[in-house]
Amino acid sequence: MPHMTVEYTNNLQGINETTLMAALTNAVCDHPTVADEADVKARIAALNSYQIGRNNAGRAFAHVELRLMAGRTAEVKKELSDRLAAVLKAEIPAQAGLQVQLSVDIVDMDKPSYFKGKL
């Protein structure tokens, strides 16, 4: 933990996945509550199948979900959310004729049921 998943609609143009994922990862790793940067695992996916309201025409989105071990304060979660939102705003280029929705969700993971092992 933390686990970060980035999803965006494939109609967004000009996204550099490597740069976006690195910037989002840095935003999390630089937060003082993250003890070990190697604990942050990120993945990114362009979505080929999606629905935005009733009509996809002229619409797109990018969403980040950050899963953290339960126990962080609301203030810490808000700080992390704000950091990730700032990265999305900076890294997702404006799209002519396309309404782009950006969102971030911070999700608590259940400590008793979470497993992490190393080989």
Side-chain angles (χ1 to χ4, degrees):
M1 96 50 235
H3 286 270
M4 184 167 38
T5 303
V6 183
E7 296 176 322
Y8 66 94
T9 56
N10 67 350
N11 61 340
L12 287 174
Q13 303 298 310
I15 292 179
N16 182 318
E17 289 185 348
T18 303
T19 302
L20 176 59
M21 204 161 34
L24 291 166
T25 300
N26 287 337
V28 174
C29 288
D30 290 344
H31 195 273
T33 62
V34 176
D36 184 356
E37 54 82 27
D39 285 340
V40 179
K41 284 146 311 268
R43 68 280 274 156
I44 190 167
L47 302 173
N48 296 316
S49 298
Y50 56 90
Q51 185 67 41
I52 303 172
R54 293 182 178 169
N55 183 354
N56 285 346
R59 297 175 179 170
F61 70 82
H63 175 73
V64 177
E65 178 181 271
L66 181 64
R67 299 180 62 80
L68 303 167
M69 197 59 65
R72 287 184 172 81
T73 66
E75 292 78 19
V76 165
K77 292 179 202 177
K78 176 74 168 119
E79 288 171 6
L80 287 162
S81 178
D82 288 346
R83 285 174 180 234
L84 295 172
V87 171
L88 285 179
K89 290 175 186 175
E91 296 294 331
I92 304 289
Q95 310 281 309
L98 200 57
Q99 177 195 61
V100 180
Q101 300 177 34
L102 305 176
S103 58
V104 176
D105 189 20
I106 308 295
V107 179
D108 284 335
M109 297 179 349
D110 182 54
K111 284 183 184 183
S113 63
Y114 181 76
F115 167 78
K116 178 180 177 180
K118 294 183 180 180
L119 299 177

